[in-house]
Each structure stands twice: as structure tokens, then as C-alpha cells.
């Protein structure tokens, strides 16, 4: 069974009573704003569609047209401003907690990762050049972005990612047991019960939540994880050691990794596809194909924004790009993932896309699955 995403550990920032009260307020605000967001569709159907039809003799035709019209609606203006403010409040609250607790967290990380015997490892590249995708914006408004780094002991980017992610997940209604990796591991067990990977690669691992889950679920496997940010990787390494799990973390660009061909039995990514450009997405799939052993499996998981959506739904998804620093959101939504996997070299009959239930929360996750030929 996968390890819970939000399991407490020694490197996780510790909240005071005031911190917890502030977090609970933000969770409540975010949950109420998700319900209030339904009112935007009411405004669209009652006001926008009739207005455009009266002016143009037809309904709205593009997301841009809907955006222009909705931007004038007081209800949408208020909802949008409050939703962005709630996101910034979340990051302010999380960073305040981390800043106060950072001396203890840094000491714990140093002790855990400099012990006589560590279970995993950390490999940072002093000559690493950050890919443009992680520099174009501070993704989902995380302060300083994924490449934030203040030196050789800095953990802030990783600490922000985990604590911010925990608070965000609660705000959208997910329970503490929810785990993207857990959903994928459950899918693998049901769909490929005979599959027992011995080498696993987690791409775009961030704070290592999924990496640790795979190591815990497949204790015989050697687990490697890749990300671009040095502070995120330092935190991920310390977090894994604190949880008693061995993962080997590497600073690499997922579009051009240094591993040998046919190195892994299982390659995974979680919520990575919507945070990279189309070019990087194509390279990600090509690298997955190159690195898989014969009979190996790639599973790329993400938010379920693909497929047939109404014009209004596409407009609401576009809010993430406009106001939550998700520049590649729509690129992923419009991508034909199975076709891109086939272009990367996977056999079309070995490619599937589906949705899987969340472990502890409403809704589903999107996954694209490709299996390497046994003849490769």
C-alpha cells in the first residue's frame, strides 16, 4: 500500500496553534470559493450568452470571447479576485510557518542526510542549466518558483511545495490519505498484477511524495527520482530519509536525462505534463521510451482537463493560466497524448488513456499508459 502523501515526518514544518487556525480559515475559504465558482456558469448562461447572441446573432464562439465578456461581470470579478487572494494567503501562511521553523528543519535535514548510512542519495549538478519551462513563471504562484535556492543547505522550495500542497489539497476537498502515486499504484496492481518493477524512475519528483510512495510499495525496487530544483531535491532527500525510505534523487532535465538506455522497468510522472511546454512533453515521452526496459511500463498522471469540454468549461480551466501562473495548462488540455506517445516510438496498441479514482477525495486523475515492447 502506498505511503500517505501527508504523513508527518521530521523535516515537515511544524505548525503552532495560530498557524493551524490560519490554515483552517484558508481551507474553509478555498472550499467555499469552489462552491461559489458554480455561480459563474449561472452568470454565463443568464447574461453572457443572451448578450452575445443579441449583439452577434450567435452565442460565444471562443474562450477569448467568453473571457472578454466574463471580465465585465461583477460576480466573476469578485470570485476571481477572492480565489487569487486565497492562493496568495495560502503561500503567505505556509512560508511564515516554514521561516520560523527552518532552523530546526535544517538541523534535522543535515543530521538525516549526513548520517553514517543513508538509504538513498542526492546528486546535484553544479553545471546544471535550468530548462526554460521552470523559469517562465512561479508555477501556481509558489514564492520564488521551483528553482528558488539560497545555497547549499537551503530547503525552502521543497518545504513550500509539500506544506503548500497539503494545504491546497485540503482546500479542494482531498483527504489526508489522498495520493496521486497511490492511485497509480492501485491501477498497476489491478491492471498488471504480474508486474514487479525492480528499477523505478519518478520524473518531475518535486518534494518526493510520489517517489517515497513507490519505494514503500515496491520495497525490492531501486527508486530514482529527477527534478530541476536543487532546494526541492535537498528537501526530498531529507524527507525520504526521515520516512525511512531509500530514494536516489538527481538534478536533471526530464527532456534529456543521463541514464543509460533501457534502465528502468517503471517510469512515472505526476502532474508534470501540464507544467511543461509542448516541446518538453514530446521529449518527455521520447525519454520514457528510451529508458524503459523491454516489457516496461510508463504511466504519466495528471489533472483530468483533457477530452471533450464545453466552451464554458474550457474558459474556467483557462483561469489557471491567466491568474494562477500555469502557462502550459491549455497546451496539455489540447494535446493528443496517445498520438504523442506513438510518435515517441510506443506501439499504438500498447497505449491507453483513462481516468482512475482518487484515493481519498472527489473526482478522478487522468493517466496515460504505454508499455514497451518485449522485443525492444
Amino acid at each position: 500500500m502506498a505511503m500517505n502523501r501527508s504523513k508527518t515526518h521530521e523535516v515537515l514544518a511544524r505548525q503552532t496553534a495560530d498557524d493551524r487556525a490560519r490554515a483552517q480559515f484558508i481551507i474553509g475559504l478555498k472550499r467555499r470559493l469552489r462552491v461559489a465558482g458554480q455561480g459563474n456558469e449561472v452568470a454565463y448562461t443568464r447574461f453572457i450568452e443572451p448578450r452575445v447572441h443579441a449583439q452577434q446573432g450567435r452565442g460565444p464562439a471562443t474562450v477569448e470571447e467568453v473571457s472578454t465578456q466574463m471580465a465585465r461581470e461583477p460576480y466573476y470579478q469578485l470570485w476571481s479576485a477572492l480565489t487569487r487572494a486565497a492562493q496568495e494567503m495560502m503561500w503567505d501562511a505556509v512560508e511564515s510557518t516554514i521561516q520560523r521553523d527552518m532552523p530546526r528543519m535544517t538541523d534535522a535535514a543535515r543530521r538525516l542526510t549526513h548520517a553514517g548510512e543513508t538509504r538513498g542519495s542526492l546528486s546535484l549538478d553544479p553545471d546544471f542549466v535550468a530548462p526554460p519551462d521552470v523559469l517562465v513563471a512561479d508555477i501556481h504562484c509558489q514564492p520564488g518558483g521551483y528553482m528558488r535556492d539560497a545555497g547549499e543547505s537551503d530547503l525552502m522550495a521543497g518545504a513550500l511545495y509539500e506544506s503548500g500542497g497539503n494545504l491546497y489539497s485540503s482546500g479542494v476537498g482531498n483527504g489526508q490519505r489522498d495520493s496521486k502515486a497511490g492511485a497509480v499504484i492501485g491501477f498497476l496492481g489491478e491492471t498488471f498484477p504480474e508486474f514487479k518493477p525492480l528499477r523505478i524512475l519518478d520524473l518531475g519528483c518535486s518534494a518526493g511524495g510520489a517517489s517515497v510512495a513507490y519505494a514503500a510499495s515496491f520495497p525490492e525496487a531501486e527508486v530514482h527520482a529527477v527534478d530541476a530544483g536543487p532546494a526541492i531535491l535537498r528537501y526530498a532527500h531529507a524527507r525520504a530519509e526521515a520516512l525511512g525510505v531509500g530514494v536516489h534523487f538527481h538534478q536533471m532535465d526530464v527532456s534529456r536525462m543521463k541514464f543509460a538506455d533501457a534502465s528502468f522497468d517503471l517510469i512515472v510522472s505526476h502532474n508534470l505534463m501540464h507544467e511543461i511546454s509542448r516541446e518538453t512533453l514530446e521529449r518527455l515521452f521520447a525519454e520514457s521510451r528510451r529508458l524503459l526496459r523491454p516489457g516496461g511500463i510508463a504511466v504519466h498522471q495528471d489533472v483530468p482537463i483533457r477530452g471533450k469540454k464545453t466552451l464554458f468549461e474550457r474558459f474556467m480551466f483557462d483561469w489557471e493560466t491567466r491568474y494562477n501562473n500555469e502557462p502550459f495548462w491549455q497546451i496539455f488540455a489540447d494535446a493528443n497524448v496517445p498520438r504523442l506517445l506513438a510518435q515517441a516510438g510506443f506501439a499504438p496498441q500498447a497505449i491507453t488513456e483513462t481516468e482512475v479514482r482518487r484515493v481519498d477525495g472527489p473526482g478522478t486523475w487522468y493517466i496515460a499508459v504505454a508499455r514497451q515492447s518485449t522485443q525492444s
Side-chain angles (χ1 to χ4, degrees):
M1 181 176 291
M3 186 174 291
N4 291 350
R5 172 187 52 80
S6 54
K7 183 178 175 65
T8 299
H9 56 84
E10 196 171 353
V11 190
L12 185 67
R14 295 176 180 173
Q15 294 178 314
T16 63
D18 286 346
D19 293 331
R20 288 191 291 273
R22 190 178 181 189
Q24 286 303 312
F25 171 80
I26 294 168
I27 290 169
L29 176 60
K30 279 181 164 286
R31 289 181 177 177
R32 283 158 179 77
L33 285 169
R34 285 181 68 82
V35 175
Q38 298 169 12
N40 289 313
E41 189 167 13
V42 175
Y44 174 73
T45 56
R46 286 187 181 179
F47 306 121
I48 303 304
E49 285 187 316
R51 181 190 306 158
V52 174
H53 198 276
Q55 295 171 347
Q56 307 290 339
R58 56 162 178 79
T62 66
V63 169
E64 191 61 39
E65 189 173 13
V66 177
S67 298
T68 300
Q69 294 290 333
M70 287 292 288
R72 302 170 185 167
E73 285 299 316
Y75 187 93
Y76 176 73
Q77 292 171 354
L78 178 60
W79 174 85
S80 185
L82 287 172
T83 301
R84 170 65 188 234
Q87 186 76 347
E88 293 184 0
M89 289 172 63
M90 179 191 80
W91 289 119
D92 287 346
V94 166
E95 187 164 16
S96 175
T97 299
I98 296 169
Q99 290 282 15
R100 188 194 60 255
D101 199 31
M102 185 57 80
R104 182 200 63 79
M105 295 164 62
T106 302
D107 287 345
R110 184 179 296 111
R111 174 172 44 78
L112 288 162
T113 58
H114 290 77
E117 290 186 9
T118 56
R119 295 172 175 82
S121 63
L122 171 65
S123 176
L124 299 180
D125 182 356
D127 299 318
F128 183 76
V129 177
D133 294 1
V134 299
L135 300 175
V136 69
D138 293 347
I139 302 294
H140 42 69
C141 304
Q142 177 172 320
Y146 294 160
M147 295 303 296
R148 177 174 176 173
D149 185 33
E152 62 181 16
S153 63
D154 185 32
L155 307 171
M156 180 58 78
L160 282 168
Y161 189 94
E162 180 171 31
S163 292
N166 288 344
L167 185 50
Y168 178 86
S169 293
S170 294
V172 298
N174 291 332
Q176 291 190 346
R177 295 185 301 106
D178 192 46
S179 164
K180 294 181 284 291
V184 171
I185 291 165
F187 167 82
L188 288 170
E190 293 174 3
T191 310
F192 307 101
E194 81 294 346
F195 183 61
K196 306 296 180 187
L198 294 180
R199 277 176 60 89
I200 300 172
L201 177 60
D202 180 18
L203 302 177
C205 66
S206 61
S211 316
V212 165
Y214 287 101
S217 297
F218 299 101
E220 301 303 315
E222 181 178 287
V223 178
H224 293 258
V226 168
D227 209 293
I232 276 184
L233 288 167
R234 288 189 205 101
Y235 182 89
H237 177 42
R239 179 184 187 277
E241 295 297 325
L243 289 169
V245 175
V247 178
H248 303 285
F249 293 95
H250 309 263
Q251 186 180 27
M252 293 185 191
D253 181 346
V254 297
S255 68
R256 46 182 64 85
M257 290 174 281
K258 299 178 181 179
F259 300 113
D261 294 358
S263 300
F264 297 95
D265 303 297
L266 175 63
I267 296 177
V268 295
S269 72
H270 301 87
N271 282 16
L272 174 62
M273 292 185 287
H274 79 259
E275 295 188 353
I276 55 180
S277 65
R278 171 64 179 261
E279 178 183 2
T280 304
L281 184 61
E282 293 175 358
R283 290 292 308 150
L284 173 76
F285 293 159
E287 283 290 83
S288 298
R289 168 74 169 77
R290 179 181 72 82
L291 293 174
L292 275 179
R293 290 170 172 168
I297 299 173
V299 184
H300 297 288
Q301 170 274 325
D302 218 298
V303 290
I305 61 173
R306 298 189 63 257
K308 190 174 182 180
K309 305 293 182 184
T310 67
L311 181 61
F312 179 77
E313 287 173 331
R314 289 194 288 128
F315 157 72
M316 288 300 291
F317 285 137
D318 193 53
W319 188 91
E320 297 289 337
T321 297
R322 293 173 181 269
Y323 304 116
N324 197 34
N325 287 12
E326 293 280 11
F328 307 114
W329 190 267
Q330 196 59 45
I331 291 173
F332 168 62
D334 293 339
N336 187 325
V337 172
R339 181 180 299 170
L340 294 179
L341 285 165
Q343 291 174 359
F346 290 102
Q349 64 271 22
I351 300 168
T352 59
E353 61 177 351
T354 188
E355 292 186 8
V356 295
R357 295 294 304 175
R358 301 191 184 211
V359 173
D360 185 14
T364 61
W365 296 113
Y366 167 86
I367 59 170
V369 185
R371 190 156 200 180
Q372 186 82 295
S373 168
T374 57
Q375 305 302 315
S376 298

